[in-house]
């Protein structure tokens, strides 16, 4: 009876940590313990680790940790790439060794009826994911150079809101609109989205298509794997007549609340590896699903992650400016009305008490994305970047 409670506590803590880490900075969680957990996970834990290392091992050890941090976060390195390959390889081997023996099963049939065919298809699925990984990691993200900068400047016009014409202080060339200089890769990237540590590469104009395909493909694989393992476990329950034995021979009540603790205990005792695999794949599918949805939305609206943060800063700054203008206008109006009513008798205190104070109206800030040309054309621009079209070579900066 203790196992379900352990599972419930473990699942709740895992969900709390994942939600706090990914969503702790959302406005809805501002001032809550979710934001506090996020601050601890992203900043506080590392700060206390540095203090502990310095107190126990001295300043030299702290400087060593800072050097490792600079190598991992501020320089190109293959650490996360190796980690990805290890995750894929180990997970696939565990699935092959522990789960393929149950295929075909009671609920797993159809294409899975031939075990050899299933092995071949699984290898093909992994190879497709690895191919997308290699394409994203090692393809040119859209490097802006002195030779192609004029074409990029002509292809992406400045909106004079979040992008204005200026020179890159590092590359010493005009920075095209939507481009950004990556401090890790040390180059300007056209239609810059973000620098991905998992790929050890920038995500830009030329490889965003591979990156989105990588996310979608791995999301589908994780969902498929979690569902198939779930069907394997359900088939084992059916073939071994676990529920029948519990209800008939052990007198367990035939209800969810009565059977769940005993079924969970049996699954953990007999199929603990499959349980761990299904939970692991489900968590990955949840995370990848969020990233897929976010990046598909960006592609369909012709926006990048970098531009999303720029628009947030611009809208916040414009709101503050409009509020300041409205408050200034209201103050001037209030001073003028007080001067004109100087010789009039003061209004009734009761009337002033019940009359609402009028807040100055603030002009709303509208996001004007000039690069949004409709979902179809936006998607075509992702699949076939502007720099790979014939018209790009003929473009010249004015």
């Amino acid at each position: 009876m203790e196992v379900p409670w352990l599972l419930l506590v473990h699942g709740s803590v895992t969900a709390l940590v994942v939600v706090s880490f990914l969503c702790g900075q959302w406005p809805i969680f501002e001032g809550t313990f979710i934001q506090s957990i996020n601050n601890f996970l992203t900043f506080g834990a590392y700060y206390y680790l540095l203090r502990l290392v310095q107190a126990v091992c001295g300043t030299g050890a702290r400087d060593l940790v800072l050097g490792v941090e600079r190598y991992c976060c501020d320089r190109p390195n293959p650490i996360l790439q190796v980690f990805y390959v290890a995750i894929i390889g180990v997970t696939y081997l565990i699935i092959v060794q522990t789960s393929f023996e149950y295929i075909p099963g009671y609920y797993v049939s159809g294409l899975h009826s031939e075990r050899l065919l299933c092995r071949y298809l699984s290898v093909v699925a992994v190879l497709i994911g690895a191919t997308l990984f290699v394409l994203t990691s090692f393809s040119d993200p859209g490097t802006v150079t002195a030779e192609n900068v004029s074409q990029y400047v002509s292809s992406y016009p400045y909106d004079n809101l979040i992008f204005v014409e200026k020179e890159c202080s590092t590359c010493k060339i005009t920075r095209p609109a939507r481009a950004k200089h990556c401090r890790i890769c040390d180059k300007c990237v056209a239609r810059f989205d973000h620098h991905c540590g998992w790929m050890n590469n920038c995500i830009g104009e030329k490889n965003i298509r591979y990156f989105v395909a990588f996310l979608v493909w791995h999301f589908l694989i994780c969902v498929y794997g979690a569902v198939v393992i779930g069907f394997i476990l359900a088939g084992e329950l059916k073939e071994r007549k676990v529920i029948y034995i519990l209800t008939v021979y052990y007198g367990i009540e035939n209800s969810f609340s009565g059977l769940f603790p005993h079924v969970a205990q049996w699954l953990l005792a007999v199929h603990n590896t499959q349980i761990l695999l299904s939970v692991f794949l489900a968590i990955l599918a949840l995370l990848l699903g969020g990233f897929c949805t976010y990046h598909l939305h960006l592609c369909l609206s012709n926006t990048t992650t970098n531009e999303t943060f720029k628009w947030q800063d611009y809208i916040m700054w414009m709101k503050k400016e409009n509020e300041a203008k409205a408050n200034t206008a209201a103050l001037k109006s209030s001073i003028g009305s007080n001067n004109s009513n100087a010789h009039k008798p003061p209004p009734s205190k009761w009337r002033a008490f019940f009359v609402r104070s009028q807040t100055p109206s603030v002009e709303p800030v509208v996001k004007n994305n000039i690069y949004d040309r409709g979902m179809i054309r936006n998607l075509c621009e992702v699949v076939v970047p502007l720099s790979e079209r014939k018209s790009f070579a003929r473009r010249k900066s004015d």
Side-chain angles (χ1 to χ4, degrees):
M1 294 297 292
E2 295 179 357
V3 174
W5 285 108
L6 291 176
L7 285 175
L8 181 62
V9 172
H10 180 269
S12 301
V13 172
T14 303
L16 178 63
V17 171
V18 171
V19 171
S20 300
F21 181 74
L22 296 177
C23 312
Q25 294 300 322
W26 289 9
I28 191 174
F29 295 120
E30 186 175 357
T32 64
F33 69 95
I34 299 291
Q35 187 183 40
S36 301
I37 296 176
N38 176 271
N39 292 333
F40 175 77
L41 293 174
T42 52
F43 300 105
Y46 180 66
Y47 171 75
Y48 288 118
L49 174 64
L50 285 178
R51 292 186 60 182
L52 177 64
V53 170
Q54 183 176 3
V56 175
C57 304
T59 307
R62 187 203 63 180
D63 294 339
L64 178 62
V65 173
L66 291 174
V68 172
E69 178 206 357
R70 282 191 292 271
Y71 174 77
C72 295
C73 302
D74 297 335
R75 292 175 56 189
N77 64 83
I79 294 177
L80 289 180
Q81 288 178 303
V82 174
F83 189 51
Y84 161 80
V85 173
I87 290 176
I88 294 297
V90 172
T91 303
Y92 179 72
L93 288 177
I94 292 175
I95 290 175
V96 169
Q97 294 295 326
T98 62
S99 300
F100 273 38
E101 61 182 286
Y102 300 103
I103 298 175
Y106 190 89
Y107 293 112
V108 182
S109 57
L111 288 176
H112 306 88
S113 57
E114 294 291 337
R115 189 175 301 175
L116 187 61
L117 177 62
C118 187
R119 286 179 180 269
Y120 287 145
L121 290 178
S122 65
V123 172
V124 171
V126 172
L127 288 178
I128 292 175
T131 302
L132 292 172
F133 174 75
V134 171
L135 287 172
T136 310
S137 299
F138 299 102
S139 62
D140 178 23
T143 305
V144 181
T145 62
E147 289 75 21
N148 61 17
V149 64
S150 60
Q151 285 89 347
Y152 274 119
V153 170
S154 180
S155 299
Y156 295 107
Y158 297 100
D159 61 0
N160 293 318
L161 294 175
I162 60 174
F163 293 111
V164 294
E165 185 174 357
K166 60 182 179 180
E167 183 184 81
C168 176
S169 59
T170 305
C171 299
K172 302 302 179 184
I173 58 175
T174 303
R175 183 182 298 170
R178 314 191 74 182
K180 183 182 178 181
H181 186 91
C182 177
R183 62 180 178 83
I184 299 177
C185 296
D186 194 26
K187 60 185 177 183
C188 281
V189 178
R191 200 181 182 276
F192 180 86
D193 190 272
H194 70 287
H195 181 90
C196 181
W198 290 96
M199 305 298 173
N200 194 25
N201 196 8
C202 286
I203 306 301
E205 182 211 26
K206 289 187 176 181
N207 64 350
I208 182 68
R209 50 189 171 178
Y210 305 134
F211 178 72
V212 174
F214 171 86
L215 291 178
V216 172
W217 184 254
H218 282 71
F219 166 70
L220 294 177
I221 286 179
C222 290
V223 171
Y224 177 77
V227 170
V228 169
I229 292 176
F231 280 133
I232 288 175
L233 295 175
E236 283 293 292
L237 289 174
K238 190 73 175 178
E239 289 180 344
R240 300 199 181 195
K241 300 180 180 180
V242 174
I243 295 178
Y244 175 79
I245 293 173
L246 288 174
T247 53
V248 174
Y249 291 95
Y250 290 92
I252 306 299
E253 182 184 356
N254 191 7
S255 63
F256 178 80
S257 59
L259 288 172
F260 176 76
H262 303 280
V263 171
Q265 191 170 3
W266 181 83
L267 287 174
L268 287 173
V270 180
H271 297 287
N272 54 352
T273 305
Q274 284 78 15
I275 291 289
L276 292 175
L277 282 174
S278 61
V279 171
F280 175 69
L281 292 175
I283 292 176
L284 284 183
L286 181 64
L287 297 176
L288 289 171
F291 284 120
C292 284
T293 304
Y294 174 70
H295 280 283
L296 287 173
H297 168 71
L298 292 181
C299 292
L300 294 175
S301 60
N302 208 336
T303 312
T304 65
T305 303
N306 178 52
E307 292 168 6
T308 300
F309 289 116
K310 282 182 173 291
W311 276 115
Q312 289 177 355
D313 294 338
Y314 173 79
I315 291 174
M316 185 179 299
W317 176 73
M318 287 300 299
K319 282 183 177 179
K320 291 181 179 179
E321 185 177 359
N322 291 342
E323 289 176 359
K325 289 180 179 178
N327 290 331
T328 302
L331 181 60
K332 289 181 178 179
S333 175
S334 175
I335 293 174
S337 62
N338 289 337
N339 292 335
S340 62
N341 297 330
H343 302 289
K344 292 183 179 181
S348 171
K349 293 182 179 180
W350 290 104
R351 183 179 179 184
F353 178 79
F354 286 105
V355 172
R356 273 186 202 173
S357 61
Q358 296 182 353
T359 57
S361 59
V362 180
E363 182 180 354
V365 181
V366 180
K367 177 182 176 180
N368 182 23
N369 182 15
I370 66 172
Y371 310 110
D372 187 356
R373 300 180 177 89
M375 288 193 297
I376 302 299
R377 295 182 66 182
N378 294 341
L379 193 60
C380 290
E381 187 176 320
V382 171
V383 177
V384 184
L386 298 182
S387 61
E388 294 184 358
R389 302 180 184 182
K390 294 181 180 179
S391 59
F392 182 81
R394 297 191 298 267
R395 290 178 180 269
K396 291 183 180 180
S397 178
D398 295 336

